[in-house]
């Protein structure tokens, strides 16, 4: 088991238990290691089958972050080690055993398990929630953000693309906002998270103990309504603390900026907005401009390919693309420049506007036959089995 995640149970007044998971690696902003992922999966599986457990509370240790993403430093090391021993083609196809394949497949399996979890999962989204952190939160039945929450899918910055089911949830955001957020890594505040559908409730961080106390006193004969009532009450009392949303007032601007007949043109138009008079737009455009040109093309292609796919199908598509980013994309170089050497000057494989179609297409060739895919067993839960929704 991992020492970077803690598990506790709290007893409710009426004799049940709430499972508490604390991501506990605050120095790395609770970034998810493979050990944490495997520990979470094992405990969630056990709690799903444990009749005493009525709900799961998921939070991050410290006051800075829920979870800043994946353990991309470990991924970097595995990619670099693999490259010294083999050519990229060999690495791309040495798929099942590699650390990179295990890391991403276990992470996406965990994200999928949270989406379909048979009991309420309350994700306490306080502070930084990025990348893999959003993957954990997105599928929770009750997603709370605090006024100081900051969310983003910033993978373009490190030569990846929004994964962890983002090819599913970005496609379901209002207007063109999901595409824009995935392409630019733009920051979302708590009100934005509610607007785009990544969160259900805004509750002030000072109410954490009172919320947990309320859950312990609730009537757990109906778990979904027990959680709903407690969260509703505290969200109501937190209403005045909601920050001004940044995305909703810019939906038309985002639609206009991303109105292009092909992907290369769309990217060029958004990058040109780096000198826009609107600082939120300009910052997002600069982030795209500095990001991986290959990733930018992959993001748009991936969102388009996944538009009509289910969550399970999307996660299978993502696994292939993530391995491609590791084997033949900019992921290692991006992590090196941003998080290892911290020179912030990645030597990307291409320049914007000069990414050959063959390099894009190669990333979408699945390394597996359908019946050999590591996530072949994931299935979508029928709508009538969905747990009662947080806002219902
Ligand atoms: C884009 C990302 C990540 C990122 C920065 C980006 C990411 C991630 C981390 C991260 C942050 C702090 C840590 C750590 C990792 O940063 O996914 O280990 O201590 O995990 O621009 O996608």
């Amino acid at each position: 088991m991992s020492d970077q995640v803690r598990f506790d149970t709290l007893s409710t007044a009426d004799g049940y238990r709430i499972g508490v998971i604390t991501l506990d690696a605050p120095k790395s902003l609770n970034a998810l290691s493979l050990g944490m992922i495997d520990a979470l999966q094992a405990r969630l599986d056990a709690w799903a089958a444990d009749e005493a457990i009525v709900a799961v509370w998921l939070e991050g240790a410290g006051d800075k972050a829920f979870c800043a993403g994946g353990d991309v430093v470990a991924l970097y090391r595995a990619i670099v080690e693999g490259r010294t021993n083999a050519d990229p083609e060999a690495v791309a196809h040495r798929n099942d055993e590699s650390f990179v394949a295990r890391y991403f497949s276990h992470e996406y399996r965990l994200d999928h398990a949270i989406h379909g979890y048979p009991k309420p999962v309350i994700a306490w989204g306080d502070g930084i929630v990025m990348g893999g952190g959003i993957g954990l939160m997105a599928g929770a039945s009750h997603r709370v953000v605090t006024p100081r929450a900051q969310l983003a899918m910033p993978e373009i910055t490190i030569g990846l693309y929004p994964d962890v089911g983002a090819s599913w949830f970005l496609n379901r955001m209002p207007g063109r906002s999901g595409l824009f957020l995935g392409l630019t890594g733009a920051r979302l505040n708590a009100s934005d998270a509610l607007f785009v559908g990544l969160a259900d409730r805004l509750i002030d961080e000072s109410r954490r103990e009172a919320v947990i106390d309320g859950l312990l006193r609730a009537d757990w004969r109906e778990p979904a309504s027990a959680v709903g009532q407690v969260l509703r009450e505290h969200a109501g009392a937190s209403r005045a603390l909601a920050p001004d949303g940044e995305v909703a007032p810019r939906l038309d601007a985002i639609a206009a900026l991303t109105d292009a007949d092909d992907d290369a043109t769309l990217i060029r138009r958004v990058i040109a907005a780096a000198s826009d008079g609107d600082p939120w737009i300009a910052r997002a455009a600069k982030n795209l401009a500095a990001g991986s040109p290959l990733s930018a093309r992959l993001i748009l292609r991936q969102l388009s390919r996944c538009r009509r796919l289910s969550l399970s199908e999307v996660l299978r598509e993502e696994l292939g693309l993530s391995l491609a980013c590791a084997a033949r994309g900019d992921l290692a170089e991006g992590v090196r420049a941003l998080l290892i050497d911290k020179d912030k000057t990645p030597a990307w494989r291409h320049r914007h506007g000069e990414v050959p179609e063959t390099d894009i297409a190669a990333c979408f060739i699945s390394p597996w036959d359908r019946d050999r895919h590591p996530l072949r067993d994931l299935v979508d839960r029928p709508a009538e089995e969905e747990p009662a929704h947080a806002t219902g």
Side-chain angles (χ1 to χ4, degrees), residues 28-29 31 68-70 72 154-155 157-158 339:
S28 58
L29 301 175
V72 288
E155 290 86 354
T157 312
I158 57 166
L339 296 165

Side-chain angles (χ1 to χ4, degrees), residues 20-21 138 163 166 173 182 219 237 248 255 260-261 266 289 323 327 329 333 361 382 384 390:
V20 176
I21 302 176
D163 62 339
M173 288 179 181
D219 176 354
D261 293 330
L266 191 161
L323 295 198
E333 175 60 10
E384 62 269 23

Side-chain angles (χ1 to χ4, degrees), residues 71-83 99-100 335 340:
D71 187 357
V72 288
V73 173
L75 288 170
Y76 169 82
R77 294 207 187 96
I79 297 166
V80 171
E81 268 172 41
R83 280 191 187 154
F99 175 84
V100 179
V335 175
I340 311 247

Side-chain angles (χ1 to χ4, degrees), residues 17-34:
R17 285 177 168 272
I18 297 174
V20 176
I21 302 176
T22 307
L23 308 172
D24 191 10
K27 273 188 253 163
S28 58
L29 301 175
N30 303 319
L32 277 179
S33 68
L34 181 56

Side-chain angles (χ1 to χ4, degrees), residues 257-342:
L257 259 184
T258 58
D259 181 4
D261 293 330
D262 63 83
D263 291 351
T265 306
L266 191 161
I267 290 163
R268 183 155 24 88
R269 285 176 53 81
V270 177
I271 288 175
S275 54
D276 200 280
D278 178 336
W280 191 88
I281 294 281
R283 185 178 178 189
K286 285 177 189 157
N287 208 46
L288 167 59
S292 158
L294 177 60
S295 290
R297 296 295 303 269
L298 296 178
I299 290 164
L300 297 181
R301 182 77 53 95
Q302 170 75 349
L303 285 175
S304 164
R305 286 166 55 101
C306 290
R307 188 145 296 144
R308 288 163 204 88
L309 301 188
S310 71
L311 179 66
S312 301
E313 291 165 335
V314 158
L315 291 168
R316 280 189 282 271
E317 292 290 318
E318 287 183 347
L319 185 58
L321 187 54
S322 298
L323 295 198
C325 286
R328 56 169 62 254
D330 281 324
L331 176 58
E333 175 60 10
V335 175
R336 182 206 63 73
L338 266 293
L339 296 165
I340 311 247
D341 298 339
K342 301 193 167 85

Side-chain angles (χ1 to χ4, degrees), residues 5-6 8 34 37 44 53 89 99 131 160 163 169 174 191 196 200 202 224 246 339 345 352 372 390:
V5 49
R6 290 199 314 267
D8 302 290
L34 181 56
I37 290 167
L44 284 173
I53 298 285
E89 214 58 50
F99 175 84
L160 193 60
D163 62 339
F169 61 71
S191 298
V196 302
D200 305 297
L202 189 154
E246 308 267 28
L339 296 165
T345 49
H352 288 297
R372 290 282 175 82

